[in-house]
Amino acid sequence: MKPEDRRQAIMDILMETGSASVEDLAGRFAVSKMTVHRDLDDLEQAGLLRKVHGGASIQSSPQFESDFRYREKIAAEEKRRLAQHAASLIEPGQIIIIDDGSTAGAVADYLKEIRPLTVITNNLGVINKLATVAGIDVISLGGQYSKKFNGFFGITTEEALRSLRADMAFLSSSAIHGASAFHQDQEVVQTKRQMMQSAARSVLLVDHGKFGKSALHFLTGLDAFGMVLTGAEIEPSFEQGLKEAGIKLHKISGKTAEETR
């Protein structure tokens, strides 16, 4: 097997399992542990995984955000609920922004019944879903494409956003610590902040597993959002902390939305 094929196979394994040991990978591919270490070094340098003691992981950490394909699988049913509720906040004729996040990106699945709409996004998955839908005008934000985030970032993206105005922006974040949102990637943070500045109102969608986590870069205080949507599975202690901070939190269950203030 060619090295590039083996590295792709390693990534496929990690997409399914989240982590793997060097010993296991060496056995699977019938190569030495040193060869596996070299593969993992190259994949880590490309930002696709992080090496841990005895192996590798694509699960998030304070300094590492998972590949978008892995994130799409985490809390998928909860993210669907959040996206569906977020779509119910949109009215025909509005201009909305959707960011690169897997949770916010899922909103695109529920927009066909709210046409006409204009959707501004840097999320390639959203662009592909909506590009051919009649009644939805898609404004694609250019920039440097990130395979890991499946979106566009950088100066070009931010300059395009500065020239646009929207009614609502739907954003995700990888970590919520206290009453603040954080993310591991500086460029992603800059793009999300500009999206918020370009919209009259911003809504944050985060699954319950993001609470109590932290990441390298501060994004914004949760009070910057008109509302924060999460699943009813959120731990009571986190909910209570947000209530005391005056954050407008909506817990989305299978049937209803419950507001916490």
Side-chain angles (χ1 to χ4, degrees):
M1 179 181 286
K2 295 180 180 179
E4 57 268 27
D5 293 334
R6 186 175 58 251
R7 289 163 190 166
Q8 181 57 58
I10 289 173
M11 288 304 302
D12 291 341
I13 291 169
L14 292 174
M15 288 297 169
E16 291 298 323
T17 63
S19 62
S21 70
V22 170
E23 184 174 0
D24 177 55
L25 294 172
R28 283 176 182 254
F29 299 109
V31 296
S32 69
K33 293 181 182 180
M34 186 60 68
T35 296
V36 172
H37 275 293
R38 285 196 294 266
D39 288 339
L40 297 182
D41 286 339
D42 287 344
L43 291 168
E44 183 177 50
Q45 188 172 5
L48 298 176
L49 56 75
R50 58 188 177 94
K51 291 187 73 175
V52 296
H53 181 69
S57 173
I58 58 169
Q59 297 168 344
S60 296
S61 76
Q63 292 182 304
F64 177 85
E65 173 64 313
S66 303
D67 185 283
F68 80 96
R69 292 166 293 178
Y70 182 74
R71 285 184 280 118
E72 284 179 338
K73 299 177 181 180
I74 305 301
E77 193 280 329
E78 181 181 357
K79 291 177 179 178
R80 179 196 60 76
R81 277 185 271 136
L82 303 186
Q84 188 171 26
H85 184 80
S88 72
L89 305 173
I90 304 168
E91 297 180 2
Q94 287 190 322
I95 302 167
I96 67 170
I97 296 173
I98 299 177
D99 79 355
D100 65 287
S102 60
T103 311
V107 175
D109 294 327
Y110 301 97
L111 298 182
K112 294 181 181 179
E113 305 304 318
I114 319 175
R115 296 173 285 183
L117 285 175
T118 297
V119 178
I120 301 167
T121 187
N122 67 330
N123 187 321
L124 184 57
V126 172
I127 294 168
N128 289 335
K129 286 179 183 178
L130 301 180
T132 60
V133 178
I136 296 183
D137 292 328
V138 178
I139 297 178
S140 172
L141 298 169
Q144 181 71 39
Y145 175 70
S146 166
K147 183 178 180 181
K148 179 176 180 178
F149 294 107
N150 200 35
F152 300 89
F153 302 92
I155 294 174
T156 303
T157 311
E158 294 162 27
E159 288 183 348
L161 280 165
R162 290 189 188 98
S163 69
L164 298 168
R165 289 295 177 269
D167 297 295
M168 300 180 71
F170 296 93
L171 283 76
S172 303
S173 185
S174 59
I176 306 295
H177 184 72
S180 298
F182 293 81
H183 199 280
Q184 295 88 340
D185 189 278
Q186 181 174 317
E187 276 198 329
V188 173
V189 166
Q190 292 171 336
T191 298
K192 290 178 187 289
R193 285 178 178 172
Q194 187 57 55
M195 287 178 168
M196 296 176 70
Q197 292 178 18
S198 296
R201 183 187 185 197
S202 296
V203 176
L204 181 67
L205 293 77
V206 280
D207 68 77
H208 74 284
K210 303 293 175 58
F211 290 88
K213 304 289 180 61
S214 189
L216 182 60
H217 298 287
F218 171 77
L219 171 59
T220 185
L222 297 186
D223 56 359
F225 296 98
M227 67 174 65
V228 176
L229 306 182
T230 192
E233 301 91 337
I234 184 173
E235 290 186 18
S237 59
F238 296 139
E239 180 184 356
Q240 181 62 31
L242 295 175
K243 181 178 181 180
E244 293 173 357
I247 303 303
K248 191 175 182 182
L249 179 72
H250 287 251
K251 298 188 299 178
I252 312 301
S253 65
K255 297 180 179 180
T256 60
E258 180 182 340
E259 182 177 349
T260 298
R261 292 198 201 215

